[in-house]
Amino acid sequence: MEKVWWKEAVVYQIYPRSFMDSNGDGIGDLKGIMLKLDYLKNLGVDVIWLSPIYQSPNDDNGYDISDYKKIMNEFGTMEDFDLLLQEIHSRGMKLVMDLVVNHSSDEHNWFIESCKSKDNRYRDYYYWRPSNNGREPNNWTSVFSGSAWQYDEKTDEYYLHIFSKKQPDLNWENDELRKEIYEMMTWWLEKGVDGFRLDVINFISKVDDLPSVPGGKKYDWGGEFFMNGPRVHEYLREMNEKVLAKYDVMTVGECPGAEIEDAIRYGNKEGTALNMIFTFEHMDVDSGTGGKWDIIPFKLTSFKKIMTKWQKGLEGKSWNSLYLNNHDQPRAVSRFGDDCKYRIESAKMLAVCLHMMQGTPYIYQGEEIGMTNIELELEDYNDLEIHNMYREKVIEGGENHDKVMNLIYKKGRDNARTPMQWDESMNSGFTNDVPWIKVNPNYKEINVKQSLADPNSIYYFYQKLIKLRKKYEVIIYGNYKLILENDEQIYAYTRELKGDNLLVITNFSRENALFHMPYELQTVKKELLISNYDKVEKEQEQFILLRPYEARVYLSEDSNNCI
Ligand code: NOJ
C-alpha cells in the first residue's frame, strides 16, 4: 500500500462559528481559532479542516457562499486568515478548506446576474427551467424539505436548489463556470492551503433533462438523477488535472449515497481524482427507509456490517475517512455511547473503535472532551433544516409537537453546533457576549479546562491514541478483519501488517460482556497498548470479562504467532 502523509494524519474539524469568539460578538472567529492552536497541537492533530469561512449571508451557516475569495465579516479579515495559515504552518500543522461548489449563495454575483435576464452571460451558470404546465419543472425535493425548485417572477422561470432556496445549484456543464471554480481553487492553493473538503461533490453532475422521479408523487427525492451523476468523474479528473495534481494536497469529497464502487472511483490509487470520500452508510445505521428523521434503534451488528464492508471494500483500492460525528450529525457519545453514567468510558471506547481502523480519522471539535447532545426550545434552534422539517411535519402535516421535538433532540444538526466548552466561566469561555446559539448547560462539568487538569480525561486519551498511531504502522496500514460478527455487545477486530498484529476489543453496551478469545489467538503473547479503564484485569487465555463500554487494544509482534 502506498504510504502518504494524509493517510498517516489525524484531522480536526473546526466549525468556526462555534469554536472561539475573540472579539465578544457572540460568534466564533479566526482570531479565536488562533488562540487555540497550541491546544490542538498539544492534542497531536496534523490537519485542521475549517468549515466554510467565506463571505456568506449565512442561510446555511457559510455553506451558502456569496464570495469565494472573501472572508465572512463576522469571522475576520483576509489578513487574519493569512496569519492563521502562517501560525498553523509554523506549528507543523496543515489547513484544509471547505469547498462548496455544488451551489453558491443566491447573493453571489453570478446568481444576481443570472436572475437579470434569460440571455444574461451568467444565466447558464445555474439550472433555470420553465414551468411544467404551471408546476415546478420536476418533482425533486430539497434536502431541506419542499420542492427543489424556486419560482422567479422576473424571468418567469424556476431555478434548481437541492439545498435551501438560497443555495442555487451551479451548472457544471458550463465550461466557463468550471474554469472560474478552478481558478478560485488555484488562488487558495497559491496562498498555501493544504487541501479541500469538497461539499456534496458527488451532486455536481445532473442527468440530462432533469427527469421527474417516476411514480407520480407530487414531490420525491430525485437523488438517482444527481448523486454520482453521469459526468462527475470527468469533472473531477479535469479538476485534478487543472488544479489539484499541481500541489501536494489532501482532498476529501463529501459523497452521500456513494457505494464502494463509487468510492473507489472517486478516491483511486492513481490519484486521478480525490484522496478519499466521506461516506454516509454508517451514519444511516439508525435511520429507517424514510431517511434521517425515521429513527430506528441502533443495532451493533448492523454497524459492524457496514464498517466492515467499507474497511474490506476499500482495502488496497482506496482509503477510508473515519468519522462518527461532524457539524451535520449528533454528538457521537450521545448517539452511540452513553452520555450519562458512562460518558467518559463510552467516549473513549468509541475513539478506540474508530481510530484503530484503517483510514484517516477525523475528530470533530468537542468530541475530544466528550461533548454531548442538547435539548432546546424550538425557537432556540438555529438550523434551517430543523425549522423546515418542523414546519413540514407539525405545522403543515399536523404531527405531534413532542414527537417531532424528540426527533430533533436525537438527530438535529444543532446538537453539534453549540459553542465549544472551554471552561466553567459564563458561556463556557466561548464568548463574553450572548452566544449566537445556546451553550450546553453541562459546560460546568464538561469543558477543556477540566479535561486538561485530569490525566484520565477523554482529551488525554485521544492524545494517547494519536501517539500510538505515530508509533505503530500497523494502526495506519494494517489489514482489517472482523471477529465475532454476530455479537450484539462487542465490536472486535484485528489488524495485521508484516507480522505485527493488533487485537481491538470494544464493548458497546452498558452491561458487562464476555469476550471469547478466538482459538487461534489464545496462546499468542499480547501486550496491552491502551485501555479505557484504570485498573485492567489480566486477560484469561480463553476469555476477557469486559466492563461497561470497556475497550482494549493488544499488540502482538511475534510473527510466528500471527493473529
Ligand atoms: C453538506 C454540509 O456538510 C452541510 O452542512 C450543508 O448544509 C450541505 N452540504 C449543503 O452545503
Side-chain angles (χ1 to χ4, degrees), residues 60 63 100 103 144 163 167 197 199-200 254 327-328 413 417:
D60 189 18
Y63 283 92
V100 189
H103 44 268
F144 298 144
F163 292 88
Q167 294 168 298
R197 173 264 186 194
D199 191 71
V200 286
E254 190 203 26
H327 64 291
D328 291 331
R413 303 197 296 181
R417 298 177 180 186

Side-chain angles (χ1 to χ4, degrees), residues 239-353:
M239 177 194 283
N240 202 48
E241 234 173 75
K242 298 228 177 320
V243 187
L244 298 169
K246 299 180 185 158
Y247 303 85
D248 178 21
V249 290
M250 168 182 152
T251 50
V252 48
E254 190 203 26
C255 295
E259 270 298 333
I260 300 271
E261 311 77 63
D262 303 307
I264 293 172
R265 287 191 73 192
Y266 287 119
N268 61 24
K269 272 200 291 190
E270 284 72 46
T272 50
L274 306 170
N275 295 146
M276 59 187 132
I277 66 165
F278 286 128
T279 60
F280 282 72
E281 204 176 344
H282 68 306
M283 288 289 108
D284 292 332
V285 65
D286 50 2
S287 307
T289 47
K292 162 173 183 169
W293 303 110
D294 173 18
I295 302 178
I296 59 171
F298 173 81
K299 213 166 162 240
L300 184 61
T301 44
S302 310
F303 183 68
K304 292 197 282 193
K305 201 168 165 197
I306 296 168
M307 297 307 278
T308 302
K309 168 179 151 189
W310 284 92
Q311 286 287 300
K312 297 309 294 176
L314 299 193
E315 207 165 81
K317 299 194 182 107
S318 182
W319 192 248
N320 272 292
S321 56
L322 305 170
Y323 74 98
L324 286 179
N325 47 199
N326 59 34
H327 64 291
D328 291 331
Q329 301 291 339
R331 290 281 177 185
V333 70
S334 302
R335 186 178 189 182
F336 305 120
D338 173 349
D339 61 8
C340 298
K341 185 164 172 204
Y342 295 111
R343 185 182 65 86
I344 293 179
E345 291 82 356
S346 64
K348 291 178 181 176
M349 180 280 290
L350 291 169
V352 167
C353 184

Side-chain angles (χ1 to χ4, degrees), residues 292-293 295 330 373-383 385-395 398-415:
K292 162 173 183 169
W293 303 110
I295 302 178
N373 280 352
I374 194 170
E375 294 183 7
L376 296 172
E377 298 297 327
L378 182 67
E379 58 274 18
D380 289 330
Y381 284 104
N382 165 277
D383 182 18
E385 182 186 47
I386 291 178
H387 288 288
N388 288 359
M389 181 278 275
Y390 183 89
R391 197 186 53 237
E392 190 174 273
K393 285 193 186 299
V394 180
I395 301 172
E399 286 189 39
N400 176 275
H401 166 86
D402 292 342
K403 193 180 132 214
V404 172
M405 289 309 290
N406 261 317
L407 302 180
I408 296 172
Y409 299 156
K410 288 214 168 74
K411 287 269 186 89
R413 303 197 296 181
D414 281 341
N415 280 310

